[in-house]
Amino acid sequence: MNEAPRSVRIAVGLWLAIAVFVLFTTAGLWFQRGEVQRLTNWSSGQVTSFLATLSAVALIFVVAYALLTRLFLRRRNWARIALSFIAIIHMIWILFVGISASNLVTLLLICAAIVFTWQARTAQWLAEVREQ
């Protein structure tokens, strides 16, 4: 990563920050079970089912971001496309789940990561591999 341009290093940092942030916010929801139950008037089983579903989906996104970021760092252009595709799916998922402060932060991080992932200097860095 030392030879990677600044835009690539920032993009990688943002993708990994998204993964970590999603992991911690999802784990935090489990500690707020009572509050979720109070706000929704759901039974304990419904809250557990809801949190389990959220956790499973979050884990899928976390693993996808981690693996694709690693491949992006290895200069795989398709990983950049896949990261963007997964990010768009993640944004749509957030809109279906509902907007909260943590979801807004996630959306902002995703937007910033996409911007740095698709900067001209990043594209040039990826193209250098194809030229060799």
Side-chain angles (χ1 to χ4, degrees):
M1 188 156 134
N2 291 339
E3 79 277 353
R6 187 168 190 245
S7 62
V8 172
R9 292 190 312 264
I10 291 171
V12 166
L14 286 168
W15 289 120
L16 295 177
I18 292 164
V20 170
F21 187 73
V22 167
L23 193 63
F24 281 124
T25 55
T26 304
L29 285 174
W30 283 96
F31 291 105
Q32 297 176 351
R33 275 181 62 92
E35 185 67 15
V36 171
Q37 189 170 1
R38 188 185 66 76
L39 289 172
T40 59
N41 289 324
W42 290 345
S43 69
S44 180
Q46 288 173 311
V47 172
T48 300
S49 177
F50 174 72
L51 291 177
T53 302
L54 279 181
S55 297
V57 173
L59 189 59
I60 291 168
F61 284 123
V62 166
V63 169
Y65 286 136
L67 292 175
L68 291 171
T69 299
R70 185 171 184 225
L71 292 168
F72 171 61
L73 199 51
R74 291 183 176 185
R75 294 184 172 191
R76 305 291 196 278
N77 190 48
W78 65 266
R80 175 171 74 149
I81 297 164
L83 271 168
S84 301
F85 180 73
I86 293 295
I88 291 167
I89 291 171
H90 192 181
M91 290 161 121
I92 293 168
W93 169 257
I94 287 172
L95 294 175
F96 278 123
V97 171
I99 298 297
S100 65
S102 63
N103 284 344
L104 287 175
V105 170
T106 305
L107 288 172
L108 289 173
L109 286 170
I110 289 172
C111 290
I114 289 173
V115 166
F116 281 100
T117 299
W118 289 94
Q119 282 193 342
R121 183 61 188 110
T122 304
Q124 180 184 4
W125 178 74
L126 288 168
E128 288 171 0
V129 173
R130 290 189 299 266
E131 294 171 1
Q132 295 175 355

